Amino acid sequence: MEVSLSVPNDNDIISVYECYRLDGEPDSPKQPFDELPHNEQQKWINSLHRMVSMIILDGVIVGWISIIPEAELETNLGFGLFKEFRGKRLMSRILPTLLSQIYCKLPNHRLTSGAQCCNLSAIRTLEKAGFQYIEIIKKFEHEYLKFIAPQ
């Protein structure tokens, strides 16, 4: 299993946007990308280009990971798989490899991630990848479990 990260192109960004929109998370966008005014489309593209990398598994783009600075030396990781790759337990196998790649780029950072309390799949994925629960946080009027990545 070969896992790597790549810089997204604009079509990748649109795919991530639409997948996230259709997932219906509390902070998900509501409007389809092609219905956004051009300036809003550009804002999304520019924003996601700064924080998203595409996950490539054995030469195929299967999802994305967002790497978002939270505080000095603390970085939050978000991740997702495209629909056709979900339910195969890929992310729990991919995530440890991605962590080692990210720690190489951010060696002194504390890496965290979160999952909605009701998202058992994401919670199990984080736990299988070695993340440890540290606290409950309120975000977008929902409770999230915050986890810290293994070093």
Side-chain angles (χ1 to χ4, degrees):
M1 179 173 81
E2 185 179 327
V3 178
S4 62
L5 296 174
S6 72
V7 175
N9 62 38
D10 288 357
N11 288 331
D12 293 332
I13 294 296
I14 294 167
S15 295
V16 169
Y17 173 97
E18 284 300 322
C19 192
Y20 193 54
R21 179 183 71 82
L22 293 171
D23 283 346
E25 293 288 329
D27 58 340
S28 292
K30 307 298 183 237
Q31 193 171 6
F33 188 85
D34 60 357
E35 292 179 10
L36 293 172
H38 180 72
N39 64 329
E40 284 297 311
Q41 289 178 349
Q42 278 309 125
K43 283 182 188 176
W44 274 101
I45 287 171
N46 294 339
S47 173
L48 291 176
H49 267 300
R50 285 192 301 275
M51 67 176 99
V52 170
S53 294
M54 304 311 292
I55 301 170
I56 301 175
L57 175 63
D58 298 329
V60 176
I61 295 174
V62 297
W64 67 93
I65 188 162
S66 59
I67 303 169
I68 305 167
E70 292 278 307
E72 188 175 342
L73 298 179
E74 183 171 323
T75 300
N76 184 271
L77 306 176
F79 54 85
L81 292 172
F82 293 116
K83 293 272 186 210
E84 62 268 29
F85 300 104
R86 293 180 183 174
K88 300 176 183 180
R89 298 190 171 122
L90 289 177
M91 191 54 82
S92 58
R93 294 189 324 219
I94 292 170
L95 205 47
T97 301
L98 293 179
L99 287 175
S100 65
Q101 292 177 25
I102 294 166
Y103 274 125
C104 285
K105 294 177 183 177
L106 303 168
N108 298 317
H109 280 239
R110 175 176 126 142
L111 301 180
T112 62
S113 191
Q116 264 189 299
C117 294
C118 62
N119 190 342
L120 299 179
S121 178
I123 293 167
R124 278 191 292 250
T125 296
L126 290 168
E127 291 174 340
K128 285 180 183 177
F131 282 74
Q132 297 291 315
Y133 165 78
I134 53 175
E135 66 182 322
I136 294 178
I137 57 172
K138 273 259 205 222
K139 184 177 173 185
F140 303 108
E141 301 192 20
H142 292 274
E143 288 187 342
Y144 285 78
L145 300 180
K146 185 174 179 178
F147 292 82
I148 187 166
Q151 290 281 333

